[in-house]
Amino acid sequence: MSRLSIETPGRAQMVLSGLNRDMERRLDASQPGLCPVDMSLNFLRLCHAQTCGKCVPCRVGLNQLAVLIERVLDRAAALEDIDLIEDTAQVIADSADCAIGYEAAHGRTTRSMSSMAGVSAG
């Protein structure tokens, strides 16, 4: 028989859970009609502020992703920028050293942003 093993969440997982709870409260308190892409950008910035900054995907990549999403919100983005957002988010999600970087990038893929906005990504 194997021994009983109880796993406790790591620091990154606890921080990420707290960030998710904060965003849930913000969504509950937000007015109807709030732009989901804008909320996504705010979550990305929140995660970027909480990362340790030791790995390049979090330190540089999340900031670059935020800049690209801001261009979309400012209506200054080209179609190539949407592909760049997708590629950048995927690279960050694949290479981040922590759960915070992974979740921040994973939720910012254009597929997930498009589904939040009710637009087909194709």
Side-chain angles (χ1 to χ4, degrees):
M1 292 193 75
S2 64
R3 294 182 179 185
L4 177 63
S5 157
I6 299 174
E7 294 184 22
T8 58
R11 181 189 176 290
Q13 188 61 42
M14 290 172 50
V15 169
L16 189 58
S17 294
L19 292 174
N20 282 328
R21 280 191 306 272
D22 288 346
M23 283 307 290
E24 285 175 15
R25 283 194 300 265
R26 288 180 184 193
L27 284 171
D28 290 341
S30 66
Q31 63 209 21
L34 188 63
C35 177
V37 178
D38 192 34
M39 288 297 292
S40 179
L41 176 61
N42 288 329
F43 181 72
L44 178 67
R45 287 179 179 151
L46 189 64
C47 288
H48 186 248
Q50 294 297 319
T51 63
C52 67
K54 290 181 182 176
C55 68
V56 174
C58 290
R59 186 176 63 248
V60 177
L62 291 178
N63 185 53
Q64 184 61 33
L65 197 54
V67 168
L68 290 168
I69 294 173
E70 284 174 358
R71 288 178 60 183
V72 170
L73 289 171
D74 292 340
R75 297 180 181 167
L79 284 175
E80 295 80 26
D81 291 334
I82 303 300
D83 292 333
L84 188 56
I85 289 171
E86 180 74 27
D87 294 341
T88 303
Q90 192 60 54
V91 168
I92 294 169
D94 290 343
S95 59
D97 289 340
C98 65
I100 296 172
Y102 170 80
E103 288 295 330
H106 183 71
R108 289 345 102 199
T109 61
T110 54
R111 283 184 196 93
S112 104
M113 286 182 10
S114 295
S115 67
M116 287 183 347
V119 177
S120 68

